[in-house]
Amino acid sequence: MNGADYLLGADALARHGPRLALVCGPERITYAELAARVRRAAGALAELGVEPGDRVMLLMRDTPDLAAAWLGCLWHGAVAIALNSLLDEEDYRFVRSDSGARLAIIEDVHAARLPQLFQALAREQRIAIAGQAPGGLPSWDEKIRRAAPALAPFATDPQDAAFWLYSSGTTGRPKGIIHTHKDVLPAGQILRETIALAAGDKVITTSRLFFAYGLENGLLGPLSIGAASVLCADWSDIEQVCALVAEHRPTGFFSVPSFYRRLLALGERALAPFRPVRYFFAAGERLPESVVAQWRSAVGGEILSVYGMSETFCVAIVTPLGTSTGKQTGKPLAGVQTKLVALEGHAAQSGEPGVLWLRHPALALGYANRKEQTREQFLDGWFCTKDVFVRDSDGFYVHQGRSDELVKVSGQWVRPSELEEAVLGENAISEAVCVPLVDSDGFERLALFLATDGDPQQAIDAAARACEEKLPRHKRPKWIRTVDTLPRTATGKVQRFKLREILQREFGRKE
């Protein structure tokens, strides 16, 4: 079973060959045309010395060229590793070493800003340049033009590695997460089962294709059902996304809560192009109730919350249609098994917080070169997410935060998101993040950081007032501070440790 053959082989082309597969700027690529590109990409990989099982790093913009190179790796039996274009050079060097990649295909716009990596790969003859290739280096574009297409896909086993996803946590080096060819099969489950997307429909995804969320719902999922994906080559600009939605009128729109918040700031008139869109999804961070309500008021549609992770690649939990309020994350998809383990170790009861363990059809093999962490989190077919949920009497799962972020105050567990939810409805506050911190007496306390476009003191006063009105005393923050911008990783996750350091430096000065 070969994942690329499943999406673009003879059976798939018999169903969808003439249909539109990808749109990117002026390019309109049919399924048949994409399949031809994929076969030529596989042939080019063979000419460059890549063998089945070899890893291939892909540092390219979100274009049909990236899609063809990524799928070409699978067709050839190689392992695709699409990389975040916002990592620093040190992280790229780490990924190169960690993955043992045989080849790196780097687009010219990225090669220029990575001189040390570029030179090292060139010396070792492990690089091909997409776009304008400097003299003496292999041109990926030229290789594809001249390559003999690989007409037959490599006969891979369903459990053979097909692609790695490099996670980007809030601390530490990226982790390589190993996925297999069988993991391609569940891609697009929410498109098929939650919203019944049809062949010929279009989707727009603001998340990049190196993300699990973007890869599933912006490429592999649509391809699995004959739908078309509208790609934005560069990082999504809010005005550009609005223009794409107005031009292409997608059936489904996939983004993250912070992007919806930015869209809402444009005002209802600017959101007119979104009103014909039938389905909206949000993932990657908590979806606030206020955003759900404001979007419904401004656009008329509901935003469905999505929960998944790089380790499952595909979505695990989604809000059923007609139930979205922002208060609940959703229910597991068909084929996904769940169990909640209370922080004290017993099976969590209804309404009791517990760490979520998952069995998922697309569960990864484990972490590359991290045997201990793989043994800790991958156990007998189950995966420990380290996310805490509550399951209510109706079977809905409600995300409570990370197990390593919960804090016990006055003998009671507190989730930081409770404080964030309490203040986010205030006009003066655009974003809020709560982090635990040990005070001078050695007790765990809570600090609340606010991002605001207005007066900082007004935001602090509003947050203090909201916490006093909505939260019991032990859940109120001991410290409230404002920041110009919240520190984030290259993938947009808030770096909470950097917020702790702000207060630690402040306390150090006072001492």
Side-chain angles (χ1 to χ4, degrees):
M1 178 259 160
N2 184 292
D5 181 52
Y6 164 72
L7 297 172
L8 293 170
D11 290 344
L13 295 184
R15 296 189 302 271
H16 307 305
R19 295 186 188 279
L20 189 64
L22 300 175
V23 178
C24 186
E27 285 193 277
R28 303 290 187 272
I29 310 296
T30 68
Y31 277 74
E33 291 167 340
L34 179 59
R37 289 195 186 192
V38 167
R39 293 185 178 106
R40 288 199 303 272
L45 290 168
E47 288 192 10
L48 286 164
V50 174
E51 297 182 356
D54 285 346
R55 271 80 67 195
V56 178
M57 292 168 48
L58 304 169
L59 183 54
M60 305 168 72
R61 295 178 302 150
D62 282 10
T63 64
D65 290 337
L66 170 61
W70 196 95
L71 290 162
C73 287
L74 274 64
W75 190 273
H76 182 59
V79 180
I81 305 176
L83 296 179
N84 185 342
S85 59
L86 294 183
L87 296 179
D88 59 33
E89 191 160 9
E90 186 175 349
D91 278 334
Y92 288 125
R93 290 198 298 272
F94 170 79
V95 170
R96 172 190 168 230
S97 173
D98 187 60
S99 67
R102 174 64 186 86
L103 180 71
I105 304 172
I106 302 180
E107 196 165 354
D108 52 7
V109 295
H110 299 308
R113 67 180 183 83
L114 302 167
Q116 294 182 11
L117 177 69
F118 177 84
Q119 292 166 11
L121 291 168
R123 283 194 303 270
E124 298 173 13
Q125 298 182 333
R126 291 176 179 262
I127 191 170
I129 301 296
Q132 296 296 318
L137 289 180
S139 165
W140 175 246
D141 300 3
E142 189 65 23
K143 288 288 184 184
I144 286 183
R145 278 194 294 270
R146 295 185 176 184
L151 298 180
F154 185 79
T156 54
D157 185 87
Q159 290 291 342
D160 285 345
F163 61 99
W164 291 13
L165 296 171
Y166 267 90
S167 69
S168 177
T170 54
T171 61
R173 290 291 188 196
K175 297 191 298 289
I177 299 165
I178 304 171
H179 282 281
T180 65
H181 283 264
K182 60 90 178 170
D183 297 345
V184 175
L185 298 178
Q189 187 176 359
I190 60 172
L191 304 182
R192 294 186 293 271
E193 299 178 8
T194 302
I195 62 175
L197 201 74
D201 284 339
K202 293 179 182 177
V203 299
I204 292 179
T205 309
T206 65
S207 290
R208 316 309 292 161
L209 296 182
F210 58 78
F211 286 119
Y213 180 51
L215 180 62
E216 181 191 5
N217 299 294
L219 182 62
L220 305 189
L223 289 179
S224 74
I225 56 177
S229 182
V230 180
L231 301 178
C232 185
D234 297 297
W235 284 79
S236 303
D237 173 83
I238 194 164
E239 286 78 15
Q240 185 180 18
V241 169
C242 290
L244 288 175
V245 170
E247 179 183 358
H248 296 288
R249 299 174 66 89
T251 303
F253 180 78
F254 293 79
S255 193
V256 296
S258 57
F259 201 89
Y260 282 106
R261 189 187 298 278
R262 290 172 59 197
L263 288 169
L264 285 167
L266 297 176
E268 288 194 18
R269 181 175 298 180
L271 296 178
F274 290 87
R275 294 187 186 116
V277 179
R278 294 175 60 192
Y279 306 108
F280 300 97
F281 293 88
E285 57 188 339
R286 185 175 52 84
L287 178 62
E289 296 177 47
S290 58
V291 170
V292 174
Q294 291 168 27
W295 190 260
R296 192 189 304 273
S297 175
V299 174
E302 65 175 350
I303 303 175
L304 304 181
S305 181
V306 167
Y307 174 81
M309 62 212 69
S310 298
E311 288 83 354
T312 64
F313 166 50
C314 298
V315 172
I317 295 173
V318 67
T319 309
L321 286 170
T323 67
S324 180
T325 63
K327 296 179 181 179
Q328 302 157 318
T329 306
K331 294 184 177 182
L333 289 167
V336 176
Q337 299 177 49
T338 61
K339 62 181 178 181
L340 294 180
V341 179
L343 299 176
E344 292 78 12
H346 61 270
Q349 303 301 308
S350 178
E352 181 182 14
V355 176
L356 177 68
W357 287 73
L358 288 174
R359 278 187 187 269
H360 195 289
L363 185 62
L365 294 179
Y367 300 116
N369 307 315
R370 297 190 184 214
K371 292 182 179 179
E372 289 188 10
Q373 192 167 1
T374 297
R375 282 195 295 266
E376 175 190 352
Q377 290 188 253
F378 293 82
L379 185 63
D380 297 330
W382 289 89
F383 173 69
C384 178
T385 68
K386 295 192 175 181
D387 282 317
V388 177
F389 281 81
V390 166
R391 182 179 55 242
D392 66 20
S393 58
D394 295 320
F396 280 90
Y397 284 70
V398 184
H399 190 231
Q400 307 291 299
R402 296 284 294 172
S403 59
D404 49 9
E405 291 173 356
L406 291 181
V407 58
K408 221 168 197 179
V409 179
S410 299
Q412 301 179 69
W413 289 110
V414 179
R415 56 183 175 93
S417 59
E418 290 182 87
L419 283 79
E420 298 162 6
E421 292 164 1
V423 305
L424 274 177
E426 301 297 321
N427 292 332
I429 299 168
S430 58
E431 292 185 280
V433 175
C434 177
V435 297
L437 193 73
V438 177
D439 67 12
S440 58
D441 296 320
F443 291 100
E444 291 268 30
R445 294 293 183 259
L446 301 169
L448 188 61
F449 289 86
L450 312 172
T452 177
D453 296 327
D455 177 61
Q457 190 57 51
Q458 182 182 356
I460 291 172
D461 293 343
R465 183 172 59 252
C467 289
E468 186 173 354
E469 292 173 354
K470 300 176 183 179
L471 300 173
R473 183 175 299 277
H474 74 278
K475 292 185 178 181
R476 297 173 194 167
K478 182 171 183 178
W479 306 281
I480 303 178
R481 300 290 187 271
T482 59
V483 291
D484 294 332
T485 57
L486 293 171
R488 297 181 183 273
T489 67
T491 59
K493 295 179 182 178
V494 175
Q495 294 176 304
R496 295 173 186 265
F497 75 95
K498 288 191 175 180
L499 294 175
R500 292 190 188 93
E501 289 174 354
I502 291 174
L503 274 181
Q504 288 165 346
R505 288 194 297 269
E506 178 184 322
F507 298 156
R509 286 196 300 270
K510 288 181 178 179
E511 292 173 359

